[in-house]
Amino acid sequence: MEAFSERPLSPQGHPPVGRSRKGRASRIDLRSAAGQVFLLQVVIVVLLVVAAVVGMVLQAASDALQQGRRESVIAAQSFASAPGVAAALQGRDPSAVLQPRAEAARKRTGMDFVIVMNTKGIRYTYPYPQEIGKKFVGVIAPALQGRTVIEQAGGPPLPAGRGTDVQAVVPVTDARGKVVGLVSAGITVKNVMGLWLPQLPIIMASGAVALALAMTGTTLVSRRLRRQTFGLAPLELAQLYEHHDAVLHAVREGVLITGADGRLLLANDEATRLLGLPADVRGRSVRELGLSEPVMSLLSSREEVTDEVLRAGDRLLAVNKRPTYPQDGRGGSVVTLRDTTELAEISGRAEVSRERLKLLYEAGVRIGTTLDVRRTAQELTDVAAPQFADLVTVDLLDAVLRGWEPTAEGWRHLRRAAIGGEQRMTPVYPLDEVIAFSPRTPQMRTLQEGRGMLETDLRRSDGWREQDPERARKALEGGLRSLVAVPLRARNVPLGVANFYRMADSPAFDPEDLAFAEELAVRAAVAIDNARRFTREHTMAVALQRSLLPRGQPEQDALEVAWRYLPSEAGVGGDWFDVIPLPGARVALVMGDVVGHGLHAAATMGRLRTAVHNFSTLDLPVDEVLGNLDDLVVRMDNEKNRGDAVDGQEGEGVTGATCLYAVYDPVAGTCTTARAGHPEPVLVRPDGTVTCLGVPVSAPLGLGGYPFESVEVSLPAGSQLVLYTDGLVENRAHDVDVGMERLRRALGGSGTRTPEETCQAVFDALKPSRPSDDIALLAARTRMFPRSRMAEWDVSPDPALVPSVRARCRETLLEWGLEETGFATELIVSELVTNAIRYGSPPIGVRLLHGRCLICEVSDGSGTSPRLRRAAATDEGGRGLFLVAQFAQRWGTRYTTRGKVIWTEQLLHDGEPGASGVAPVDFLLDQFDLDQSADPGV
């Protein structure tokens, strides 16, 4: 360091202001730190210059060698492939022809030599003629095989003098590819290496500039040191340090100074005493001093601290921390410590109370976020561990987990529902295991007595250890020491037990901890009971809806059907679907959705589904079915508005219900569809194209007074109708347009899939992981009724033609192999045709369909419907429909745009008529004095 002359200080400890500094030397003293730094810089610059020169020489040599190799190969190949070289080699005097050309090529290309030789290595050319005819010095064997040889070799003297000779040898071939000679070209590398010499002045000039900069920098640093020390001499600085050290170690407050790198620069005697620091702490990292984690974190951080209380051993220290250079942010800090151990008890109690209030608030926020019993129990363990206990377990009654009302009979057997905290070193019962507690265990006692149990030392708890001695022994060896068991009670009904454990390295539980655990358990029990009650309602709603949804596929010939149903996480909703066989081999497909969730939505769905079944039995057109459903929903809403429903029942009406009703006729191959606010069905044709049916959308059910439009579409055999609810294509993540596009992609190319495969493919592509709404999906593949099993003909309105109709019916049944059912079928057809001729109007037609059952249909243009009534004993007629009803499994009437159709169905088993179970006709007529007949006049 530069030496300064000694002078007196000002009263403030600074040098006098305004004194002239002209007498101070600005030269660099080589004995000072600045001078020694300057010498070091000079050595470094010289070494750098030498290294640059050596590196440049080596690089130039390497570049020259590579350049020589390239140039020699190019020159040799160019001369070997020149015209006339191969011919000259095969001539009488190759040297006379090739020597002038070789020398010209050597001078033109800058090579040191171009040598032509025969296949034995005898030279024909050389820069010095006296060397011609001598053996070539180098490797020629690879060149004789057609390859190029590059090597470094020596030889006879060359015009360029001596040096590293880089030469290339290439073959000369004639027109047939035969090697007739060799050509070698080379260059002496030392001529090129002189290229680095022009750059040497640049390197030397750079070194000189670097030395000048080093001198300038050293001078500036020297001046900077003088400014920072205010011109003080070393003696003056030593006096300042002595005064500072005396004051620092005399005060009764600990002082620590750390640098930007986290090392301790200074610690006075009081800080050493308070923190128990060793003597040689200066310059060591704060993380190497063995301090407690809070103190070490405080010293390592850059944050300011004001009067923060930290524990250091058995002391409480009030800590303040400020940065040493707050303006320029160079890092480092000053920490002051004051001993406040006498305030330990008061501060500790305040901190514990604050932490417990914070934990209770956190419990109120985090416990009960879902309506799942197990999840709520797990939230209790997550809140309590590790803030309050090291290990927390929750054991619940099986009835609580299933949503049932808990009873005292189930107390002995509890199921482990949740575990939280440290359990790696402690053997505990695993999740979902049923535990049979003995009467003396704290868990059973807390259930029976309805209050918490405190076990300060589990080693002296006989009741706890007798439950499972081996497991208890391992738990004690693992460090388990203290237990608080509290009952989980809601509405004065026990739900289970919460167990809080602490390890040996944690303080044992005390009565205050017991009171806090009871408060925490009360809050959790309310949330668990709410989840239990929701589970019960959810289970009931699921059971109700499952009972109302189809349990199996009905027997029918028109469609191959498959479906999927997925309830939402919010609870069971009002989605439903149905497949309803209709007369004439037709099938009705229904898909509906009631807004809302829970029991009310499921019950409303059941009422609507029953109503659809009733309306389909009447065989009404699809738009009239929706109209009747709309009237029903309006009446249900009116009941709500009049207050007829039970008070507090979930929901405020069912407005917003939607429905889609479609009827497929396999004989005609048509599908008639109408929808009330429901998503449009998707059609997948046999070739795999995906389209929509184009069904006009109508208002949802319950608005009243709005018409419903229907559309009839022809469907080829093998087409698939896909019906669904909005939960499949719409959720919170995207709107319905995105969902429809995803559905089309999932259905694309599925013309050859079965309905079951189609449902699975759609669910795999669109089913959400956490559905927010119910999802119902129905896929139906169409079939056409075979023409070979269908017969129909027109009948003239003449009673005399009835025998011919019966005869034709008999012939048709013989073709189908149903001659056993001929008598009953002829009787049915005869009676129905006779009634149509007598009481109906043209046109009259008969149709027989042979499927799972035998269907007889007689149509006419009249709108009057026959009905059964009692016939008096003296009536001559009126028993025809009674006979029809006895021989047919079912019969009925449906209306068309051209009149009506009276139909009957007769069951068949394996193609044979089923046993009707009816007595002979004569016997039946004898048993009934008053029979039923058709009206009018049947």
Side-chain angles (χ1 to χ4, degrees):
M1 185 175 181
E2 184 178 355
F4 302 100
S5 60
E6 183 176 346
R7 58 175 182 162
L9 295 172
S10 66
Q12 293 79 14
H14 296 287
V17 180
R19 180 176 296 183
S20 174
R21 299 182 180 181
K22 294 181 179 179
R24 293 190 177 274
S26 59
R27 70 183 185 277
I28 298 177
D29 188 355
L30 297 181
R31 292 174 297 178
S32 65
Q36 294 174 2
V37 169
F38 175 70
L39 287 178
L40 179 62
Q41 291 175 337
V42 170
V43 173
I44 292 174
V45 170
V46 172
L47 291 177
L48 290 176
V49 170
V50 173
V53 172
V54 173
M56 185 172 296
V57 171
L58 295 177
Q59 183 65 35
S62 176
D63 292 344
L65 187 62
Q66 294 297 327
Q67 180 180 354
R69 293 167 66 93
R70 289 194 300 269
E71 291 180 357
S72 62
V73 171
I74 294 173
Q77 289 180 345
S78 300
F79 191 85
S81 56
V85 174
L89 285 171
Q90 295 175 349
R92 292 185 177 180
D93 190 2
S95 296
V97 178
L98 297 176
Q99 174 67 10
R101 296 176 63 180
E103 285 302 303
R106 178 178 67 82
K107 296 175 181 179
R108 184 171 61 253
T109 58
M111 292 288 101
D112 287 337
F113 64 87
V114 176
I115 302 172
V116 182
M117 68 194 82
N118 61 12
T119 56
K120 296 181 180 181
I122 303 301
R123 292 193 287 256
Y124 290 146
T125 65
Y126 199 80
Y128 299 122
Q130 62 270 21
E131 299 295 332
I132 295 176
K134 295 182 180 180
K135 186 72 173 181
F136 174 73
V137 180
V139 178
I140 63 173
L144 294 176
Q145 297 177 2
R147 297 196 299 269
T148 299
V149 179
I150 303 175
E151 59 178 345
Q152 298 179 20
L158 296 172
R162 294 194 175 274
T164 301
D165 182 13
V166 179
Q167 63 185 14
V169 181
V170 298
V172 179
T173 58
D174 58 8
R176 292 175 296 178
K178 180 181 178 182
V179 177
V180 297
L182 302 175
V183 175
S184 174
I187 187 172
T188 302
V189 176
K190 74 172 187 177
N191 294 336
V192 185
M193 293 177 56
L195 295 177
W196 65 273
L197 293 175
Q199 300 182 17
L200 185 59
I202 299 176
I203 297 176
M204 301 303 294
S206 300
V209 171
L211 289 175
L213 292 176
M215 177 175 286
T216 303
T218 304
T219 303
L220 294 176
V221 168
S222 178
R223 294 178 180 177
R224 178 74 175 182
L225 289 175
R226 287 200 300 271
R227 286 197 301 269
Q228 288 183 345
T229 58
F230 301 103
L232 294 177
L235 182 60
E236 295 170 334
L237 292 176
Q239 292 176 351
L240 285 178
Y241 176 78
E242 291 175 357
H243 299 161
H244 164 268
D245 190 65
V247 174
L248 184 66
H249 293 285
V251 297
R252 299 301 299 170
E253 186 171 281
V255 178
L256 298 173
I257 300 178
T258 60
D261 57 353
R263 295 186 177 275
L264 191 62
L265 303 181
L266 183 145
N268 67 347
D269 296 341
E270 183 67 9
T272 302
R273 184 185 69 84
L274 293 177
L275 298 179
L277 298 176
D280 55 341
V281 296
R282 181 172 298 183
R284 295 173 59 181
S285 174
V286 295
R287 297 188 177 275
E288 302 175 359
L289 303 179
L291 301 175
S292 62
E293 180 62 28
V295 177
M296 185 177 62
S297 300
L298 182 141
L299 295 177
S300 302
S301 67
R302 294 179 176 269
E303 298 179 359
E304 296 185 10
V305 175
T306 301
D307 292 334
E308 182 172 334
V309 179
L310 294 179
R311 181 176 294 275
D314 57 350
R315 294 186 177 90
L316 286 178
L317 305 178
V319 182
N320 289 273
K321 181 180 180 182
R322 294 292 184 273
T324 53
Y325 301 98
Q327 288 79 17
D328 53 12
R330 285 185 288 172
S333 60
V334 177
V335 180
T336 60
L337 309 171
R338 284 182 290 110
D339 191 356
T340 59
T341 307
E342 60 274 9
L343 301 177
E345 184 176 357
I346 298 176
S347 300
R349 290 180 177 273
E351 180 67 18
V352 170
S353 299
R354 185 180 68 86
E355 290 297 328
R356 288 185 174 178
L357 287 175
K358 179 181 178 182
L359 189 57
L360 286 177
Y361 171 77
E362 186 178 355
V365 173
R366 293 177 55 185
I367 299 177
T369 58
T370 65
L371 290 175
D372 182 82
V373 175
R374 292 181 182 272
R375 179 58 187 166
T376 304
Q378 187 63 46
E379 289 170 346
L380 169 60
T381 64
D382 294 341
V383 169
Q387 291 92 332
F388 176 67
D390 297 321
L391 174 65
V392 183
T393 63
V394 176
D395 305 321
L396 299 177
L397 303 176
D398 263 344
V400 175
L401 292 172
R402 299 178 183 179
W404 303 342
E405 196 70 23
T407 58
E409 288 78 5
W411 288 4
R412 284 292 303 277
H413 298 84
L414 285 84
R415 189 176 296 275
R416 181 59 48 88
I419 303 175
E422 180 64 37
Q423 53 177 310
R424 290 174 295 178
M425 302 299 295
T426 305
V428 296
Y429 291 99
L431 284 175
D432 209 41
E433 182 169 340
V434 176
I435 309 171
F437 289 107
S438 62
R440 295 183 56 194
T441 58
Q443 290 83 0
M444 185 55 61
R445 290 171 55 202
T446 192
L447 276 177
Q448 294 173 343
E449 301 178 18
R451 61 184 181 88
M453 294 293 167
L454 172 62
E455 296 289 346
T456 306
D457 191 350
L458 289 174
R459 292 172 294 184
R460 296 193 294 269
S461 177
D462 297 334
W464 177 78
R465 285 189 286 110
E466 77 174 12
Q467 171 68 29
D468 191 335
E470 181 62 22
R471 191 184 298 269
R473 182 185 64 80
K474 293 181 179 179
L476 293 175
E477 291 176 355
L480 209 62
R481 285 296 179 270
S482 186
L483 165 67
V484 168
V486 293
L488 297 171
R489 301 173 63 89
R491 297 180 293 110
N492 205 29
V493 176
L495 306 175
V497 179
N499 305 295
F500 303 92
Y501 295 92
R502 281 184 181 174
M503 309 297 288
D505 55 355
S506 299
F509 287 115
D510 54 31
E512 292 185 0
D513 294 325
L514 175 61
F516 175 76
E518 290 178 336
E519 176 66 22
L520 192 63
V522 167
R523 301 190 177 212
V526 174
I528 291 175
D529 189 58
N530 290 337
R532 178 194 65 81
R533 299 174 69 180
F534 171 79
T535 302
R536 179 186 60 183
E537 180 179 345
H538 179 75
T539 303
M540 294 173 60
V542 169
L544 174 61
Q545 187 172 46
R546 293 293 187 186
S547 66
L548 295 176
L549 291 175
R551 297 189 178 183
Q553 297 190 11
E555 294 185 356
Q556 43 85 26
D557 297 314
L559 297 171
E560 181 184 354
V561 183
W563 57 69
R564 292 288 189 278
Y565 173 74
L566 180 66
S568 69
E569 288 192 342
V572 176
D575 292 13
W576 95 93
F577 56 89
D578 220 332
V579 180
I580 307 173
L582 298 179
R586 297 170 303 138
V587 176
L589 300 177
V590 190
M591 182 71 71
D593 186 3
V594 177
V595 175
H597 296 87
L599 287 175
H600 175 64
T604 304
M605 177 269 289
R607 296 178 65 180
L608 294 181
R609 179 171 181 257
T610 303
V612 171
H613 271 270
N614 295 333
F615 296 145
S616 65
T617 302
L618 299 176
D619 213 346
L620 300 176
V622 293
D623 53 344
E624 293 187 22
V625 171
L626 294 183
N628 291 329
L629 278 180
D630 184 56
D631 295 338
L632 174 61
V633 174
V634 170
R635 289 197 301 272
M636 294 168 66
D637 284 338
N638 291 336
E639 292 175 1
K640 285 283 184 181
N641 295 332
R642 291 197 304 267
D644 297 340
V646 179
D647 293 339
Q649 186 177 7
E650 178 190 357
E652 297 295 336
V654 293
T655 302
T658 65
C659 183
L660 184 144
Y661 188 77
V663 175
Y664 174 67
D665 187 351
V667 178
T670 60
C671 181
T672 306
T673 310
R675 58 186 179 122
H678 201 80
E680 186 174 10
V682 177
L683 173 64
V684 182
R685 299 189 179 275
D687 58 358
T689 58
V690 180
T691 60
C692 292
L693 286 182
V695 183
V697 62
S698 302
L701 301 177
L703 299 182
Y706 291 93
F708 297 94
E709 299 183 48
S710 62
V711 65
E712 183 176 285
V713 180
S714 296
L715 302 180
S719 302
Q720 287 198 43
L721 280 174
V722 179
L723 283 62
Y724 53 92
T725 55
D726 56 358
L728 182 68
V729 296
E730 185 177 7
N731 55 38
R732 298 173 184 175
H734 55 75
D735 56 17
V736 66
D737 294 333
V738 177
M740 287 297 299
E741 182 61 30
R742 294 177 59 195
L743 176 61
R744 292 188 184 97
R745 288 199 300 266
L747 293 174
S750 61
T752 59
R753 294 176 183 165
T754 63
E756 183 69 26
E757 294 171 344
T758 299
C759 290
Q760 189 61 44
V762 171
F763 254 50
D764 291 342
L766 277 75
K767 184 182 72 173
S769 58
R770 302 174 65 90
S772 59
D773 193 8
D774 291 10
I775 297 176
L777 175 66
L778 176 65
R781 183 160 62 182
T782 61
R783 300 170 179 157
M784 292 295 293
F785 205 92
R787 292 295 176 181
S788 61
R789 288 177 172 252
M790 181 175 60
E792 58 181 340
W793 59 90
D794 297 330
V795 179
S796 300
D798 185 0
L801 298 177
V802 173
S804 64
V805 174
R806 296 174 61 180
R808 188 165 182 178
C809 177
R810 186 184 311 113
E811 294 174 358
T812 302
L813 295 178
L814 288 174
E815 293 178 2
W816 291 345
L818 302 178
E819 56 273 6
E820 295 296 331
T821 192
F823 173 78
T825 306
E826 291 179 37
L827 177 62
I828 292 172
V829 172
S830 176
E831 292 296 333
L832 295 181
V833 171
T834 301
N835 286 343
I837 293 174
R838 181 177 299 178
Y839 305 111
S841 60
I844 300 172
V846 177
R847 184 168 73 172
L848 298 178
L849 301 176
H850 178 202
R852 295 178 183 267
C853 60
L854 180 61
I855 302 173
C856 299
E857 296 181 345
V858 176
S859 62
D860 66 82
S862 172
T864 59
S865 175
R867 62 183 179 86
L868 287 174
R869 66 178 178 84
R870 291 185 179 273
T874 57
D875 289 344
E876 296 181 0
R879 298 176 180 85
L881 276 184
F882 174 77
L883 295 176
V884 170
Q886 295 301 315
F887 280 98
Q889 180 71 17
R890 296 193 308 157
W891 76 279
T893 304
R894 74 171 183 270
Y895 295 93
T896 65
T897 57
R898 296 181 298 176
K900 68 176 181 300
V901 176
I902 303 175
W903 55 269
T904 65
E905 291 183 359
Q906 298 169 260
L907 291 181
L908 300 175
H909 297 280
D910 298 328
E912 299 294 335
S916 62
V918 248
V921 178
D922 293 339
F923 175 76
L924 290 172
L925 294 178
D926 292 339
Q927 293 298 314
F928 289 91
D929 294 332
L930 298 177
D931 292 330
Q932 300 173 341
S933 62
D935 185 19
V938 179

